[in-house]
Amino acid sequence: MLQEQVPVILYRSNYPQNPRGHPKESQSRACAAQRMPHHVSPPLAPTMLVKSSTPSAVPPTQDEISSFLITIFTAETSQAALDASYTLTNLLITSVGFRGLKGYGILDEIKNGAADKKNGARRESSMILLGALFEKFPTSQPISEVVFLLQDGGLVPQALDALADKGAVVRESAQYALDALFANLKPEGQVVGLLPVLVQYLGKKSGKWQGAVGAYELMGRMADKAKVGMGSKEEEAIKDVLRESMGHKLAGLIPVVEAGMHDLKSEVAKQAVKTMTSLTTLLSNDDVAPRIPLLIKTMQNPSVETLQKAIHALSQTTFVAIVTSPVLALLTPLLERSLNTPTTSQEVLRQTVVVVENLTKLVHDPVEARTFLPKLKPGVKGVQDRASLPEVRDLGMRAYKVINKAMGDDDGNISSGAIARTTTEDVLRILEKAIKQHGGLINEPGDNAIWGSTKMYISDMVREDVNLRQVFRIKLCIGPYLQHVMIGEKAAPIAEAVEKHFLEEDRRKFGQPVKEDTGEVEIVNTEFSLAYGGMLLLSHTNLRLVKGHRYGLCGRNGAGKSTLMRSIAEGKLEGFPSKEELKTCFVEHNQGEDADLSILEFVSKDPELAASGKERISEVLSEVGFTTGPEGRQQQKVGSLSGGWKMKLALARAMLMGADVLLLDEPTNHLDVSNVKWLQEYLKNHTEITSLIVSHDSGFLDEVCTDIYHYEGKKLVCYKGNLAEFVKVKPEAKSYYTLTASNAQFKFPPPGILTGVKSLTRSIIRMTNCTYTYPGTSKPSLIDVSGQLSLNSRTAIIGGNGAGKSTLIKLLTGETVPQQGRVEKHPNLRIGYIKQHALEHVEMHMEKTPNQYLQWRYANGDDREVLMKQTRVLTPEDKAQMDKFVNLGGQGDRKIENLMGRQKFKKTFQYEVKWVGMLPKHNSQVSRETLLELGFDKLVQEFDDHEASREGLGFRELQPKVISKHFEDLGLDPDIANHNEISGLSGGQKVKVVLAGAMWNNPHLLVLDEPTNFLDRDSLGGLAVAIRDYKGGVVMISHNEEFVGALCPEQWHVADGRVTHKGHLAVMADRFEDSRPGSSNASSQVSSAISSAVNSDVEGGGGDMKFKSRKKKKLTRAQMKEREARRRLRHIEWLNSPKGTPHPPDTDDES
């Protein structure tokens, strides 16, 4: 609202005319600052300039109106003209209303005055009168909007033209008129009334450039007004309508504004750029937002170079948000230009079709797809048919198929899931029917002329509200507009009838709203918006919590689940009761800042809990498992607690607080099975506590939740029942519940052949009596651990945090070396290992693309990450060992330089040893056992790793195309793998890069440390299916009972440093969507997992890790004679060869 200003009498100059009909320049400048009209209506003058004897309810005569007009156009001052204009306006409003504007010729007088080139005062007066009409009429008689905007071309063009007037006061008066109209139009009126007028004005070839600047400024102001903010609910609702309505019009607005960006007049071009920047705020798409400045620059300077930069930037963008018409409206012209330009390079074409495909996949509305994609379809078809590179043609074909799918079914019909949009004709039919039922129009003289435009204007506004599902705004767009053209008080019933019809239609299309339960205690019911940084996560959504209910929060990664919980915990959520009213506790396991305090001291130190007393605190700690006494857990240091115990400590603190609301963020990530069960029972038994839970453990949510809150389009939608009930209502959310590869598919390469291993249950890696103690600690992490794995293993390592699971994995993979015992493995065994903190693998390679990372890792035929393991790095002792002299078979003391080769020798291997300072002809063959006895373990291991890698990579070509296919098999888009730097990838994509790196050399054994912590639900399902179908061994650490139960019949339980083996457990095959009853895969898919090698049954369990080589076949006497003949011939051939030719070896083959 504008502040009230004190009226000031401003004097008008006599406007002496120069030959061109304008005020003299000096006088114009002198009075320009004085004659600014009021921006706020002053109170009505106590005495009228022309006294009317006509009562206000009786129409004034033409003479009276003419007298007012003469007064306005001949007033001595701007103030006098403005006062007379307000008086005339109020007289019309209280008598004949909008009909008098046309009937008394007022509009014609304004148009004539605005066009009077010889009289600047008359032009100013016409703008002042227009401003008074724009300011007063729309609020009291909204039907006047039709008169001002639509009838006979409207009056906005005259005001825009007046912005080009040489008289500053005329320009100011015109701006005042435009501002008044803009302020009084509701959002629907701005979009369906004012916006088309501005677009039409800008399309005129003969328009004034100042008018064009004004039109662009109004358009930009409209977009700025629609920006999402943190205003009241009513304010933001109006903004939502304006933003979404304008967003649907962007397809027509962007070309108009882009044309202005190339205007020869710099002022027009600058304003058009500002307007385009404002329009792009309507997109509400976080993927495209960072690229907007570059896209605007491309529009501003359309060249091959800027277009290539824009397309390249878009191709580097990971699109995850739903693509709506505003995004398509902005990007379609650029993509269309790139596709249809003959000189576009093949690389840019490739990037363009990739962007088209990625965008199209995220267009969920076939109606929007059919609006924009036909413009791109011919270009994509041309790439498919005519691109010179096969790769680009293939990408074009893929994009073309995706476009066809997005636009509708194969038969050309709109997809059955699409909801048809309401049209203006649909609204008009219902409106006219309701008017007819309520007695029809008054039909006063002149009404028919305006009714045609009015009914279309109303229908357009109602159409916008219906399609935006703002049904409760319909009455605002009908009742006030019909009030002055209907008989009696019939406007309100007509508006209600139309609203009722479209409300029923909305519920038929989208379903009935959920009725809230009655009789329960409501503890929270708030409307709020939530933003993180510059990103709006939730917009004016409702959160209602009922006492005793347990709510699960479900949504895609990045939706804002944890941010919502954190905002509630910190008391920053708008409308959420304070901690004094409602005790809220955020259960987290972060007590690192007081790591040296005992658990009892740590809890007692909390000022919120100190009042409970140490006895009560100790009692509650005992309830959750912290034992008392000098040696009990309560006396342990906080820093020594594992993640699971820290979670229990946080729950104990919540119990002591007497929390009304528990906020649990991924509670099961750190709890073992028994503690998860304990937490489930705790939550279910304490019916006075309300819980808000974020978890990817579907079994936990199923067991605990009474309601599900789901993130849908920046809103929270509540569904009654647990996760299973929610999935029945929203089948597309089944990925929260089943392990399925429908959205993310992984395909692991088959492991290579292991020499001497013919049985899938043969032991390939073994730990024997291993003990390991971390440096600086006295208590061993693992004590006397033994175990073995085979190619058929599906083994889960289970235990609480801190039990030693990751240590056990590191011993198996060679990351660490046991102080006691030994770890043996098949010499050719290849292990794919993903660490618990998976991103450690790529932290040093952020500037590389995934393709380049894989090439670096395997460039020399070895896996470079294997060489970085602790068991491969030479310690000072190892280097001293290499300097030792050895004496083999009395040949004298010599130092080993390197191992050059390996070959089978009886049941083991022998290695070709190169001696320091001696020629290769003096190399010796030394058995594996001898080298190990001499202490050259790491040298042997390094050579075995090299041979294993070489064998695994024998089927792999380190070429970009092959690598791209490998990444695609592991769920990463090949285009991202080839062209996006790792630093720009999301966390999930980085993990897929790590997984692809581990699987490149066809490992026999896959080791996963907490895979459920670094993959989202969809990728987790894809990984589970890939592990199930994998032909090699798998060993994993996971607390996710669902994941482990679906895959691993064998479990190693780690507790107190010792390992207990459990085997032959039933696999929950029904966790897989394709293994449900009735599926053809139900019995066959999990056969490999069910036959997993359990520790006690692994072949060769008591023997050593030696692998038999193939026995030589005994030759017959005839065969021996033939061999001797071949050797003799080779010797004769050697004698006849030039001097210096080496003697051929006497082999047993046919050559």
Side-chain angles (χ1 to χ4, degrees):
M1 293 290 293
L2 296 170
Q3 295 180 349
E4 190 70 31
Q5 299 177 3
V6 178
V8 179
I9 303 299
L10 304 175
Y11 293 92
R12 183 201 299 269
S13 66
N14 289 326
Y15 279 94
Q17 308 298 316
N18 61 18
R20 298 175 60 190
H22 290 281
K24 291 182 179 177
E25 189 66 26
S26 59
Q27 289 176 333
S28 179
R29 278 198 301 268
C31 66
Q34 295 182 349
R35 299 182 54 262
M36 178 71 181
H38 284 286
H39 287 270
V40 174
S41 313
L44 196 62
T47 56
M48 299 175 63
L49 297 175
V50 177
K51 191 177 287 187
S52 173
S53 58
T54 310
S56 60
V58 179
T61 65
Q62 181 67 53
D63 290 341
E64 288 176 323
I65 297 298
S66 298
S67 178
F68 269 110
L69 291 173
I70 291 169
T71 302
I72 292 168
F73 283 104
T74 59
E76 290 294 323
T77 64
S78 300
Q79 184 64 51
L82 186 62
D83 290 344
S85 297
Y86 281 133
T87 305
L88 174 60
T89 302
N90 283 309
L91 177 61
L92 290 172
I93 289 172
T94 56
S95 57
V96 295
F98 72 94
R99 296 180 179 87
L101 296 171
K102 181 77 173 174
Y104 291 120
I106 295 172
L107 301 183
D108 293 333
E109 198 64 36
I110 290 173
K111 291 179 180 179
N112 293 334
D116 189 346
K117 294 183 179 180
K118 295 183 179 181
N119 191 335
R122 186 171 166 77
R123 294 198 301 276
E124 182 195 357
S125 295
S126 66
M127 290 299 107
I128 290 175
L129 176 55
L130 187 59
L133 295 175
F134 282 174
E135 185 179 342
K136 291 287 189 179
F137 255 100
T139 53
S140 57
Q141 295 194 9
I143 195 172
S144 61
E145 294 171 17
V146 180
V147 178
F148 297 145
L149 294 170
L150 304 176
Q151 193 175 24
D152 299 330
L155 294 167
V156 174
Q158 281 73 23
L160 290 170
D161 283 339
L163 294 175
D165 200 283
K166 287 193 174 182
V169 287
V170 181
R171 297 197 299 271
E172 291 163 358
S173 300
Q175 190 63 56
Y176 154 64
L178 291 169
D179 292 345
L181 179 64
F182 183 85
N184 286 324
L185 289 175
K186 58 174 64 68
E188 295 91 342
Q190 289 179 353
V191 173
V192 305
L194 181 59
L195 204 55
V197 171
L198 297 177
V199 171
Q200 185 178 3
Y201 182 85
L202 291 167
K204 288 196 309 183
K205 300 296 182 185
S206 59
K208 309 284 180 64
W209 69 262
Q210 294 93 338
V213 171
Y216 282 129
E217 191 274 331
L218 279 174
M219 201 179 288
R221 199 193 310 177
M222 204 180 298
D224 290 336
K225 189 178 176 181
K227 281 183 183 176
V228 177
M230 304 298 282
S232 67
K233 182 182 176 183
E234 293 74 18
E235 291 170 350
E236 293 302 314
I238 290 172
K239 288 182 181 180
D240 289 343
V241 173
L242 182 56
R243 182 173 59 256
E244 294 187 45
S245 294
M246 280 195 76
H248 290 139
K249 302 290 185 292
L250 271 187
L253 297 180
I254 285 177
V256 174
V257 180
E258 189 176 0
M261 293 165 74
H262 306 141
D263 199 279
L264 297 176
K265 201 69 180 175
S266 62
E267 290 87 346
V268 177
K270 286 178 184 176
Q271 183 58 55
V273 171
K274 289 181 182 177
T275 301
M276 183 65 80
T277 305
S278 298
L279 288 178
T280 55
T281 61
L282 302 170
L283 267 61
S284 303
N285 186 292
D286 300 323
D287 304 331
V288 179
R291 312 295 185 192
I292 283 174
L294 180 60
L295 297 176
I296 293 176
K297 189 176 179 182
T298 304
M299 295 180 191
Q300 194 176 356
N301 304 301
S303 65
V304 175
E305 291 75 18
T306 56
L307 182 62
Q308 286 179 353
K309 285 181 182 178
I311 296 296
H312 177 71
L314 289 173
S315 70
Q316 296 287 311
T317 303
T318 303
F319 292 99
V320 293
I322 293 174
V323 173
T324 53
S325 58
V327 178
L328 289 171
L330 179 67
L331 299 183
T332 299
L334 293 172
L335 297 171
E336 187 179 8
R337 192 188 313 165
S338 177
L339 289 169
N340 296 332
T341 302
T343 56
T344 304
S345 67
Q346 291 295 300
E347 173 63 15
V348 176
L349 276 180
R350 182 193 65 76
Q351 294 171 352
T352 306
V353 292
V354 167
V355 172
V356 170
E357 181 185 356
N358 292 340
L359 278 177
T360 308
K361 285 178 180 176
L362 291 167
V363 179
H364 289 187
D365 189 342
V367 176
E368 291 182 345
R370 289 185 166 223
T371 304
F372 294 96
L373 296 182
K375 300 175 184 176
L376 299 175
K377 197 173 177 181
V380 175
K381 184 75 168 83
V383 172
Q384 177 188 341
D385 296 339
R386 296 186 295 275
S388 58
L389 294 178
E391 178 197 2
V392 179
R393 290 199 299 273
D394 291 343
L395 289 171
M397 182 172 66
R398 270 173 42 187
Y400 192 73
K401 289 179 180 177
V402 172
I403 287 175
N404 285 334
K405 184 177 179 182
M407 288 174 60
D409 298 329
D410 294 336
D411 57 4
N413 295 325
I414 289 179
S415 174
S416 56
I419 295 173
R421 298 281 175 82
T422 300
T423 64
T424 303
E425 289 70 25
D426 296 334
V427 178
L428 186 58
R429 188 170 59 253
I430 303 303
L431 178 65
E432 289 180 330
K433 180 181 176 182
I435 290 172
K436 188 176 180 180
Q437 288 174 347
H438 288 81
L441 304 173
I442 297 176
N443 279 331
E444 288 195 7
D447 281 3
N448 286 334
I450 195 174
W451 175 241
S453 300
T454 303
K455 65 182 181 182
M456 296 303 294
Y457 183 68
I458 293 173
S459 300
D460 283 340
M461 290 194 294
V462 172
R463 178 202 66 209
E464 292 296 317
D465 286 336
V466 172
N467 287 329
L468 297 177
R469 299 195 66 198
Q470 299 285 343
V471 182
F472 296 104
R473 287 187 60 85
I474 289 177
K475 283 192 284 192
L476 296 176
C477 297
I478 297 178
Y481 293 87
L482 297 182
Q483 185 177 348
H484 299 281
V485 293
M486 291 297 300
I487 301 169
E489 299 293 328
K490 299 293 180 67
I494 291 172
E496 289 172 3
V498 177
E499 182 190 80
K500 181 182 177 183
H501 170 84
F502 285 109
L503 182 61
E504 291 171 355
E505 279 289 298
D506 184 81
R507 290 178 177 174
R508 183 182 63 80
K509 291 177 180 177
F510 300 100
Q512 293 282 343
V514 178
K515 293 182 180 178
E516 303 295 351
D517 294 333
T518 55
E520 294 184 295
V521 180
E522 183 183 88
I523 57 174
V524 177
N525 193 346
T526 179
E527 291 267 354
F528 67 94
S529 295
L530 182 67
Y532 180 75
M535 179 168 58
L536 187 72
L537 301 172
L538 292 167
S539 177
H540 286 281
T541 192
N542 178 262
L543 178 66
R544 179 177 181 267
L545 302 181
V546 175
K547 186 172 183 178
H549 281 225
R550 298 174 293 277
Y551 298 89
L553 270 180
C554 290
R556 298 287 179 201
N557 282 4
K561 302 184 293 294
S562 296
T563 306
L564 174 60
M565 304 269 268
R566 184 75 61 183
S567 299
I568 294 173
E570 294 173 356
K572 294 179 179 178
L573 195 73
E574 176 190 349
F576 199 92
S578 65
K579 286 192 175 183
E580 289 72 29
E581 301 174 58
L582 192 71
K583 289 185 180 178
T584 304
C585 184
F586 189 28
V587 180
E588 54 184 344
H589 53 95
N590 181 23
Q591 296 90 14
E593 64 275 6
D594 294 309
D596 295 330
L597 293 177
S598 72
I599 291 164
L600 187 59
E601 289 173 351
F602 172 75
V603 179
S604 302
K605 179 187 170 186
D606 192 326
E608 293 184 48
L609 308 178
S612 302
K614 278 203 172 185
E615 288 186 12
R616 172 61 183 156
I617 291 172
S618 179
E619 181 185 335
V620 172
L621 287 172
S622 299
E623 284 182 36
V624 296
F626 291 93
T627 53
T628 56
E631 298 298 322
R633 277 195 182 271
Q634 291 186 20
Q635 300 305 318
Q636 290 183 2
K637 300 286 178 67
V638 172
S640 68
L641 293 179
S642 68
W645 281 103
K646 285 183 178 180
M647 181 62 71
K648 296 184 83 170
L649 177 58
L651 283 167
R653 294 177 67 205
M655 291 167 66
L656 285 164
M657 286 174 61
D660 299 310
V661 177
L662 284 181
L663 306 173
L664 301 166
D665 191 0
E666 298 288 3
T668 60
N669 260 12
H670 308 279
L671 297 179
D672 53 31
V673 176
S674 59
N675 281 326
V676 169
K677 183 71 175 173
W678 174 86
L679 178 59
Q680 289 174 357
E681 296 304 318
Y682 174 82
L683 293 174
K684 288 192 290 185
N685 292 336
H686 288 72
T687 53
E688 77 283 2
I689 297 177
T690 303
S691 307
L692 203 57
I693 306 164
V694 173
S695 177
H696 63 245
D697 188 338
S698 57
F700 180 74
L701 293 178
D702 242 357
E703 185 70 27
V704 169
C705 290
T706 58
D707 307 82
I708 298 291
Y709 266 115
H710 191 232
Y711 280 72
E712 295 177 15
K714 301 197 187 304
K715 300 287 183 186
L716 285 176
V717 182
C718 187
Y719 296 86
K720 301 296 179 186
N722 61 8
L723 190 64
E725 296 298 319
F726 164 61
V727 171
K728 287 178 184 175
V729 179
K730 297 277 289 185
E732 63 269 27
K734 63 176 180 269
S735 63
Y736 293 121
Y737 193 65
T738 59
L739 293 170
T740 173
S742 59
N743 296 327
Q745 295 188 347
F746 291 1
K747 181 183 176 184
F748 290 166
I753 297 170
L754 268 176
T755 308
V757 178
K758 297 179 181 178
S759 169
L760 292 177
T761 56
R762 178 70 187 269
S763 176
I764 56 174
I765 189 167
R766 178 190 301 150
M767 303 174 66
T768 308
N769 304 326
C770 291
T771 298
Y772 182 78
T773 306
Y774 277 101
T777 59
S778 58
K779 185 179 178 182
S781 297
L782 293 172
I783 305 169
D784 197 30
V785 174
S786 298
Q788 49 197 358
L789 298 167
S790 72
L791 285 175
N792 220 22
S793 290
R794 293 291 184 276
T795 303
I797 300 178
I798 307 292
N801 281 57
K805 303 185 300 300
S806 295
T807 308
L808 177 58
I809 286 285
K810 288 178 179 178
L811 289 177
L812 270 175
T813 59
E815 293 282 315
T816 54
V817 183
Q819 284 95 1
Q820 297 176 28
R822 60 178 182 166
V823 178
E824 303 168 278
K825 71 182 187 68
H826 190 290
N828 285 9
L829 180 67
R830 295 184 296 279
I831 299 176
Y833 176 42
I834 309 292
K835 298 179 184 178
Q836 183 172 7
H837 304 288
L839 303 187
E840 287 180 12
H841 293 273
V842 292
E843 278 175 353
M844 297 182 293
H845 309 281
M846 291 298 186
E847 77 289 349
K848 295 184 175 74
T849 65
N851 200 313
Q852 291 168 345
Y853 163 71
L854 204 63
Q855 292 185 52
W856 168 88
R857 184 166 168 176
Y858 291 99
N860 300 323
D862 295 304
D863 184 351
R864 290 190 183 182
E865 291 207 355
V866 171
L867 304 179
M868 295 163 66
K869 291 182 180 179
Q870 189 177 337
T871 50
R872 310 298 187 269
V873 177
L874 294 179
T875 62
E877 294 80 10
D878 296 324
K879 291 176 181 176
Q881 174 70 27
M882 292 296 294
D883 291 331
K884 287 183 179 178
F885 288 90
V886 296
N887 188 344
L888 296 176
Q891 296 179 358
D893 290 340
R894 293 178 289 184
K895 282 199 296 187
I896 294 177
E897 181 178 327
N898 211 341
L899 300 182
M900 307 303 294
R902 187 183 72 178
Q903 65 183 30
K904 296 174 190 174
F905 178 69
K906 296 183 179 178
K907 292 185 179 182
T908 179
F909 289 98
Q910 63 180 10
Y911 297 80
E912 182 182 351
V913 177
K914 168 78 169 61
W915 304 103
V916 174
M918 300 182 72
L919 295 174
K921 67 180 182 180
H922 298 295
N923 290 359
S924 306
Q925 297 289 342
V926 183
S927 70
R928 179 187 179 88
E929 287 72 21
T930 303
L931 289 171
L932 295 178
E933 286 173 12
L934 292 171
F936 293 98
D937 307 57
K938 287 192 177 177
L939 192 63
V940 172
Q941 188 63 63
E942 182 184 346
F943 193 84
D944 286 345
D945 288 338
H946 172 74
E947 287 296 298
S949 287
R950 187 178 62 82
E951 197 173 280
L953 297 171
F955 306 100
R956 292 282 197 186
E957 295 180 66
L958 207 61
Q959 295 178 357
K961 191 173 181 181
V962 180
I963 294 174
S964 297
K965 180 65 171 68
H966 178 65
F967 277 115
E968 188 175 10
D969 290 342
L970 271 300
L972 187 68
D973 188 277
D975 199 66
I976 293 175
N978 291 341
H979 304 284
N980 290 38
E981 292 181 0
I982 293 174
S983 59
L985 304 185
S986 68
Q989 290 170 331
K990 287 176 183 173
V991 168
K992 291 173 184 176
V993 172
V994 173
L995 196 56
M999 300 301 293
W1000 173 254
N1001 64 349
N1002 304 322
H1004 304 102
L1005 185 67
L1006 181 61
V1007 182
L1008 301 170
D1009 195 346
E1010 292 283 11
T1012 57
N1013 280 4
F1014 54 67
L1015 289 175
D1016 60 23
R1017 186 75 202 182
D1018 287 338
S1019 298
L1020 190 61
L1023 178 63
V1025 173
I1027 289 174
R1028 184 193 66 185
D1029 299 337
Y1030 182 49
K1031 302 302 181 186
V1034 179
V1035 58
M1036 70 178 78
I1037 294 174
S1038 179
H1039 291 305
N1040 190 324
E1041 186 180 2
E1042 171 196 23
F1043 193 72
V1044 168
L1047 294 167
C1048 301
E1050 180 183 358
Q1051 296 181 1
W1052 295 2
H1053 288 259
V1054 184
D1056 299 325
R1058 299 190 180 274
V1059 177
T1060 307
H1061 303 280
K1062 294 184 180 180
H1064 296 303
L1065 302 176
V1067 175
M1068 291 180 287
D1070 62 345
R1071 283 292 187 186
F1072 292 100
E1073 191 178 9
D1074 59 358
S1075 295
R1076 297 291 173 89
S1079 169
S1080 60
N1081 293 333
S1083 59
S1084 61
Q1085 291 282 10
V1086 292
S1087 58
S1088 62
I1090 292 174
S1091 62
S1092 171
V1094 183
N1095 187 63
S1096 59
D1097 297 334
V1098 174
E1099 293 181 23
D1104 54 20
M1105 291 287 290
K1106 295 178 180 178
F1107 296 88
K1108 296 179 181 179
S1109 58
R1110 189 176 58 183
K1111 289 184 179 180
K1112 292 183 180 179
K1113 192 175 180 182
K1114 192 173 182 180
L1115 301 179
T1116 63
R1117 186 175 296 178
Q1119 288 172 333
M1120 292 173 70
K1121 283 183 178 180
E1122 289 173 0
R1123 185 182 64 183
E1124 287 301 320
R1126 289 196 300 274
R1127 289 182 177 180
R1128 205 163 39 246
L1129 288 172
R1130 277 200 298 270
H1131 184 68
I1132 293 170
E1133 187 178 346
W1134 175 72
L1135 290 174
N1136 293 330
S1137 64
K1139 191 175 181 180
T1141 303
H1143 193 286
D1146 286 332
T1147 62
D1148 293 334
D1149 59 18
E1150 294 295 326
S1151 58

